[in-house]
Amino acid sequence: YSNVFFCSFSAASVLLRVKLNVRRHLREKNTIPKIFAETVHRHGDKTALIFEGTGERWTFRQLDEYSNRVANLLLERGFKEGDVVALFMENRSQYVGIWLGMAKIGVEAALINFNLRLDALVHCVTISNAKAVIFGSELTDAVSEVHSSMGKAVQMFCSGDWDPKRVPQGTECLEPLVAGAPSHLPPRPDHRLFYIYTSGTTGMPKAAIVVHSRYYRMAALVYYGFRMTSDDVLYDCLPLYHSAGNIVGVGQCLIHGMTVVIRKKFSASRFWDDCVKYNCTIVQYIGEICRYLLNQPVRDTERQHRVRMALGNGLRQSIWEEFMNRFNISQIAEFYGATECNCSLGNFDNKMGACGFNSQILPFIYPIRLVRVDEETMELIRGPDGVCIPCKPGEPGQLVGRIIQNDPLRRFDGYVSQTATDKKIAHSVFKKGDSAYLSGAEGKAGMAAIADPSHSTNLEKFVKDMEKALPPYARPVFLRFLPEVNKTGTFKFQKTELRRDSFDPSAVSGRLYFLDSSKGRYVQLDEELYRSILSGKCKL
């Protein structure tokens, strides 16, 4: 990451403020439900959540009452602190109320990506040791496909339109059960908050552990760092099974009393209309959302809104200025991080093109740095003393954060799988014998290399099988067919040369294909299509 620059004193002061707040909450044993109770006391009758799909508005008091009923229902059914319940549904206000209700009694929610199907879905439920699954009626077919693989001991609850003929046998309708449960405040244990799954583009998803202090830290860093207020209205069109939507977004509601507009799914054509309708002042984005908005035809509402800030990560430097000018956005609140990482960054000074800061003023508060890596293998490069070598200004490298478990900003809670946790930790990074989190490198568009010497692959069948087994983000955007796939001397697949060739048809011998999402099939990749992809005319 080379677009990181040195921070001002104001950024360092934000880190110090959040660190002190987290320490206070830990000392006072303030969980997210307990902090939310204070928010309800301050903002009881104010609108907390708006669900764009129905226009339904919940006040803070209504959200509190709904989550209490969920908590008491689960207690009545025998769930206890430390149990896990999988939550598998599309965005809506109930989503927040359900996991918040679980948190009030120490039941941990496993927030499962609603795009998952078959083996990946079963994997996410089973590795969490979930005793129940609460699913949205819109996902009944997906649940029915795998119900027999989950085991009879897993209880099933359906939220939404109820059709007893379609749901798996033994499933109960959630709504009347919640409505009939007591609304009083249940006991408040202190336990893990929930699990958020990594995307798992190179394998099955990993369940990252989110504790109460981490939830607070992530939400508070952007709130104070980007100078938000409780009077802001935030437009959240991101999936609630991920940290961007459920912590960075919804966290502003639960912790800071902000009104949050929840959208079922992102819509480029409805984006600015929604912002005008609900008087939004902050919008969230991730990845290519900003480019999708720029590709939309010009409409009046794109400059009639009250939005002053776009909050998110992944805005390309090449379209940064165009996005601000066209949509009249005065501040881009770009940040970089991951659900489980301890080295998040924030562009608190609105510097164009940057994803964050590297503090040289108060490094002991937030010890992070870029270190040199072998760009072919991504292995850390070490000096004669065995310690990692820091990057010079402007030099790309891998972001690392020193792990100090008793420091709320430096701790690394890891994953449910200890093996997965160990893979993200390096030693002797800042100094001999220390430990640090590796933030790795993320891919935006994967390529699969397939050995097909006889040219017998049926691409239509391949697409159908892939759609059943893989969520959209895990499907290879490019295919490369080879006579054979080369291996190293230790029988590992040789990926270095394949990565170097990329998807350039002039550099690749053999057949290349591109997944055209508009057509739902792979098309042959030629020079013209290659140039169209590079120019951004053709969407990945």
Side-chain angles (χ1 to χ4, degrees):
Y1 302 94
S2 56
N3 56 339
V4 179
F5 61 98
F6 300 116
C7 77
S8 62
F9 184 78
S10 63
S13 67
V14 168
L15 295 173
L16 179 60
R17 178 176 186 175
V18 173
K19 183 173 184 175
L20 294 175
N21 280 352
V22 173
R23 285 196 180 279
R24 175 176 64 84
H25 287 310
L26 287 171
R27 187 173 61 251
E28 298 174 0
K29 296 184 178 180
N30 290 336
T31 61
I32 294 301
K34 195 173 178 182
I35 296 171
F36 176 65
E38 298 171 1
T39 306
V40 174
H41 180 73
R42 293 194 307 270
H43 302 285
D45 293 324
K46 178 183 174 182
T47 299
L49 299 174
I50 302 173
F51 178 48
E52 183 280 329
T54 61
E56 182 181 29
R57 295 170 180 256
W58 284 13
T59 65
F60 283 90
R61 192 166 285 112
Q62 286 173 319
L63 176 57
D64 187 41
E65 180 181 303
Y66 180 88
S67 58
N68 284 349
R69 291 185 187 276
V70 170
N72 287 313
L73 168 64
L74 293 176
L75 284 175
E76 290 174 355
R77 291 303 182 93
F79 291 89
K80 60 185 184 302
E81 182 177 358
D83 286 343
V84 178
V85 174
L87 185 55
F88 183 55
M89 64 169 61
E90 293 181 350
N91 288 10
R92 51 181 175 272
S93 299
Q94 286 81 358
Y95 192 106
V96 179
I98 290 170
W99 75 251
L100 181 59
M102 295 183 201
K104 287 185 174 183
I105 58 170
V107 171
E108 301 163 21
L111 308 182
I112 297 182
N113 185 326
F114 54 66
N115 292 296
L116 295 183
R117 298 294 185 270
L118 301 175
D119 291 347
L121 175 55
V122 173
H123 169 81
C124 288
V125 174
T126 54
I127 65 165
S128 70
N129 293 314
K131 292 188 175 181
V133 177
I134 298 176
F135 65 93
S137 58
E138 68 279 4
L139 298 171
T140 296
D141 291 344
V143 173
S144 297
E145 283 181 325
V146 299
H147 179 237
S148 61
S149 302
M150 291 185 185
K152 295 181 179 179
V154 178
Q155 300 180 51
M156 308 293 289
F157 300 92
C158 178
S159 173
D161 297 332
W162 175 247
D163 184 350
K165 296 178 182 178
R166 292 185 60 232
V167 297
Q169 187 175 5
T171 301
E172 298 181 78
C173 183
L174 184 67
E175 273 70 29
L177 297 177
V178 171
S183 61
H184 63 75
L185 185 67
R188 290 179 179 161
D190 180 11
H191 213 270
R192 293 173 177 174
L193 188 55
F194 50 55
Y195 303 136
I196 286 182
Y197 292 81
T198 63
S199 55
T201 51
T202 57
M204 287 296 185
K206 297 178 293 188
I209 298 168
V210 178
V211 296
H212 295 263
S213 60
R214 175 168 293 277
Y215 190 102
Y216 175 84
R217 176 178 70 84
M218 292 176 70
L221 276 172
V222 298
Y223 181 83
Y224 293 112
F226 297 121
R227 296 175 291 282
M228 302 176 182
T229 75
S230 60
D231 293 328
D232 279 313
V233 178
L234 186 144
Y235 184 66
D236 187 350
C237 59
L238 307 181
L240 297 183
Y241 55 75
H242 273 171
S243 54
N246 206 359
I247 303 179
V248 177
V250 169
Q252 308 313 327
C253 166
L254 303 183
I255 295 172
H256 300 116
M258 195 183 297
T259 298
V260 172
V261 179
I262 295 174
R263 202 179 206 286
K264 184 177 179 181
K265 289 182 180 178
F266 165 71
S267 168
S269 61
R270 293 289 307 168
F271 192 92
W272 298 114
D273 294 339
D274 288 345
C275 291
V276 171
K277 181 177 180 179
Y278 298 110
N279 294 313
C280 299
T281 58
I282 300 172
V283 295
Q284 281 191 276
Y285 67 87
I286 194 168
E288 294 296 280
I289 280 181
C290 296
R291 192 185 298 277
Y292 296 154
L293 293 173
L294 285 171
N295 287 338
Q296 286 287 302
V298 175
R299 50 171 55 89
D300 293 339
T301 50
E302 68 184 40
R303 295 184 67 87
Q304 293 173 345
H305 55 77
R306 297 176 55 220
V307 175
R308 63 180 178 83
M309 180 193 302
L311 168 70
N313 49 64
L315 177 56
R316 304 296 180 190
Q317 193 166 2
S318 58
I319 63 169
W320 192 296
E321 188 171 11
E322 181 186 0
F323 182 83
M324 293 182 74
N325 291 339
R326 174 173 166 179
F327 302 121
N328 194 29
I329 306 293
S330 59
Q331 182 179 1
I332 300 295
E334 173 86 7
F335 62 92
Y336 173 80
T339 301
E340 67 275 33
C341 81
N342 68 345
C343 46
S344 303
L345 301 165
N347 181 354
F348 300 129
D349 288 345
N350 201 22
K351 182 173 176 64
M352 190 171 295
C355 70
F357 307 88
N358 183 11
S359 174
Q360 289 192 322
I361 300 172
L362 296 174
F364 58 88
I365 290 180
Y366 207 53
I368 65 172
R369 70 173 45 152
L370 293 174
V371 295
R372 292 183 182 176
V373 294
D374 183 317
E375 294 189 30
E376 293 288 345
T377 64
M378 289 304 292
E379 291 182 3
L380 300 171
I381 298 175
R382 299 178 182 273
D385 58 356
V387 176
C388 293
I389 302 173
C391 293
K392 296 176 182 177
E395 185 179 16
Q398 181 170 186
L399 184 67
V400 295
R402 180 181 291 166
I403 297 173
I404 306 172
Q405 286 302 99
N406 62 356
D407 185 327
L409 295 188
R410 309 289 355 112
R411 64 181 288 162
F412 173 51
D413 297 296
Y415 310 93
V416 171
S417 165
Q418 186 60 46
T419 302
T421 300
D422 293 341
K423 287 181 179 179
K424 297 296 289 186
I425 299 175
H427 300 283
S428 297
V429 175
F430 290 77
K431 64 180 182 180
K432 203 76 174 174
D434 68 1
S435 298
Y437 170 86
L438 302 170
S439 108
E442 59 181 90
K444 294 296 182 184
M447 172 184 281
I450 301 173
D452 184 23
S454 61
H455 293 215
S456 59
T457 300
N458 184 326
L459 281 179
E460 289 186 10
K461 184 178 184 300
F462 180 84
V463 169
K464 290 178 181 178
D465 291 344
M466 182 178 66
E467 288 175 345
K468 289 179 181 178
L470 296 174
Y473 59 79
R475 297 167 192 166
V477 178
F478 301 97
L479 294 181
R480 177 177 177 178
F481 287 96
L482 306 167
E484 62 179 355
V485 178
N486 295 328
K487 295 181 181 179
T488 65
T490 54
F491 302 102
K492 295 179 180 178
F493 288 113
Q494 178 59 267
K495 302 176 185 176
T496 304
E497 292 181 4
L498 296 175
R499 280 198 295 260
R500 187 186 301 121
D501 293 342
S502 186
F503 61 98
D504 183 354
S506 64
V508 173
S509 59
R511 294 170 293 153
L512 276 177
Y513 290 88
F514 168 70
L515 182 59
D516 189 328
S517 56
S518 64
K519 298 177 181 177
R521 60 184 177 88
Y522 285 100
V523 297
Q524 191 123 17
L525 181 62
D526 55 20
E527 285 289 345
E528 183 180 354
L529 181 54
Y530 176 70
R531 288 192 296 271
S532 179
I533 293 170
L534 292 182
S535 68
K537 292 180 181 178
C538 183
K539 296 180 184 178
L540 294 177

